[in-house]
Amino acid sequence: MNDEPLPEALSAEINSVLDDAGVHADRRLVMRMLRTAILLGEDGADRLDLKIASAALAEMRDAFRLFAPFRGVPKVTVFGSARTRQDDPLYLTARDVAAALAGDGWMVVTGAGPGIMQAASEGAGPALSLGVSIRLPFEEKPNGFVAGQDQVVAMKYFFTRKLMLIKESLGFICLPGGFGTLDEMFELLTLQQTGKAEPTPIVLLDQPGGTFWEGLRSFIDDHLAPTGVISEGDFDRVVITDSVEEACAEITGFWHNYDSLRWVGDALILRLREEPTDAEIDALNEQFATMLASGRIERTDPRQPEIVDEDRLELPRLVLHLDQRQVGNLFRLIGAINALPSAPAR
């Protein structure tokens, strides 16, 4: 990241502007954004480049403001085709899974369009629906279940839209769709495989008896895994089902005992809901020894950065030094943590 300093006099003027605007929280980050904008101007950046950067920042601000009031509410994003009709069994499946999760207190995030997106918004209801729409010359307007509500934001760029469809959610459900749906699904897998996103449950949901996602599994098993372009088991973190009940159980069950993680230096801290026993920790070490760069999986107290941030201090913790090449396997470790006998009763 470019930390090229600005002239002292200019920095003082910017600080004065921030004082006048009442900006005090995370001031260094705001200063960094302003500095970057000024440096873009000094670079003589192309007008189109400046328009992209300006619009992207403005869109992200709008989306952050949309999501901010609901930060403490668990969210699931539902992806699927905009072309699915209301009499299609897939529409009913999307509506039912959204309704079931909303009944458990989850908000449902969609792309705010028709088809599967409308079905999910309908199932969740307006109060528990958030929409992130895209402005296209040929695309339909936001569906009636989010249009006119304060809980929808429109985006110009797909990359900012995709960011907000993924950033806030604790689970993802993908129903059959076209290029856009597959793009979103593979983005999720890439982020998980590379460790650029924290582990989250991903469900590929079909209508009862449907085979859409099984075809994808066959392609991956027959063409991707054998050639080594993905690692064996990379697709195991995805659940393929035609059951609304199984889809909901996968989303909610992922957070049954596992709560969150945080890196502190090269140590990975896993926060749990219940304290594991010594025997359970020994079993985890035996099962996941190949994931460790060194040492063992052990209990730990909150580390200093967590204490400073007051970050989930009440929860028990495990610490490990992860082999970075094994980051994609965190999903399996979390599954084992959720299955511990000490985990909360379901």
Side-chain angles (χ1 to χ4, degrees), residues 20 38 47 65 113 149 162 229 234 261 305 309 312 334:
D20 292 341
I38 291 170
R47 177 176 174 79
R65 294 178 71 191
Q149 303 290 324
K162 193 184 296 182
V229 294
D234 270 351
L261 61 79
D309 294 339
R312 314 294 283 168
I334 290 170

Side-chain angles (χ1 to χ4, degrees), residues 115-155:
I116 294 298
M117 295 172 279
Q118 176 173 313
S121 298
E122 178 183 348
L128 288 175
S129 294
L130 290 172
V132 186
S133 68
I134 186 74
R135 293 192 292 269
L136 294 174
F138 56 85
E139 188 70 29
E140 297 90 340
K141 296 293 189 292
N143 69 69
F145 293 95
V146 294
Q149 303 290 324
D150 292 333
Q151 293 174 199
V152 61
V153 63
M155 302 292 216

Side-chain angles (χ1 to χ4, degrees), residues 11-179:
S11 293
E13 289 186 30
I14 294 175
N15 272 302
S16 177
V17 170
L18 294 179
D19 286 337
D20 292 341
V23 176
H24 302 293
D26 294 316
R27 187 163 171 137
R28 290 182 63 185
L29 292 175
V30 178
M31 282 285 291
R32 178 177 290 173
M33 286 188 284
L34 292 173
R35 182 180 65 245
T36 300
I38 291 170
L39 291 173
L40 276 169
E42 289 184 352
D43 292 342
D46 180 87
R47 177 176 174 79
L48 177 59
D49 293 343
L50 293 173
K51 288 177 69 175
I52 292 172
S54 175
L57 188 59
E59 289 188 356
M60 286 189 286
R61 176 184 181 249
D62 289 342
F64 294 157
R65 294 178 71 191
L66 170 68
F67 280 84
F70 310 106
R71 193 146 289 154
V73 182
K75 302 172 191 68
V76 59
T77 296
V78 177
F79 296 114
S81 175
R83 304 184 184 188
T84 303
R85 297 182 302 187
Q86 294 186 39
D87 60 352
D88 191 310
L90 285 170
Y91 188 100
L92 303 179
T93 298
R95 186 190 65 190
D96 291 347
V97 75
L101 287 166
D104 282 340
W106 286 66
M107 295 195 81
V108 174
V109 182
T110 73
I116 294 298
M117 295 172 279
Q118 176 173 313
S121 298
E122 178 183 348
L128 288 175
S129 294
L130 290 172
V132 186
S133 68
I134 186 74
R135 293 192 292 269
L136 294 174
F138 56 85
E139 188 70 29
E140 297 90 340
K141 296 293 189 292
N143 69 69
F145 293 95
V146 294
Q149 303 290 324
D150 292 333
Q151 293 174 199
V152 61
V153 63
M155 302 292 216
K156 178 179 180 181
Y157 296 119
F158 274 109
F159 73 90
T160 51
R161 182 193 192 217
K162 193 184 296 182
L163 170 67
M164 295 312 304
L165 287 170
I166 293 175
K167 173 181 175 290
E168 299 280 340
S169 289
L170 297 178
F172 302 91
I173 297 177
C174 304
L175 287 99
F179 291 153

Side-chain angles (χ1 to χ4, degrees), residues 80-81 90 174-179 181-182 185-186 204-207 209-219 235 240-242:
S81 175
L90 285 170
C174 304
L175 287 99
F179 291 153
T181 300
L182 294 175
M185 185 271 298
F186 279 117
L204 306 186
L205 178 61
D206 209 334
Q207 68 188 53
T211 59
F212 183 92
W213 296 117
E214 290 297 341
L216 174 65
R217 188 204 295 274
S218 296
F219 175 76
F235 201 57
I240 296 177
T241 182
D242 62 359

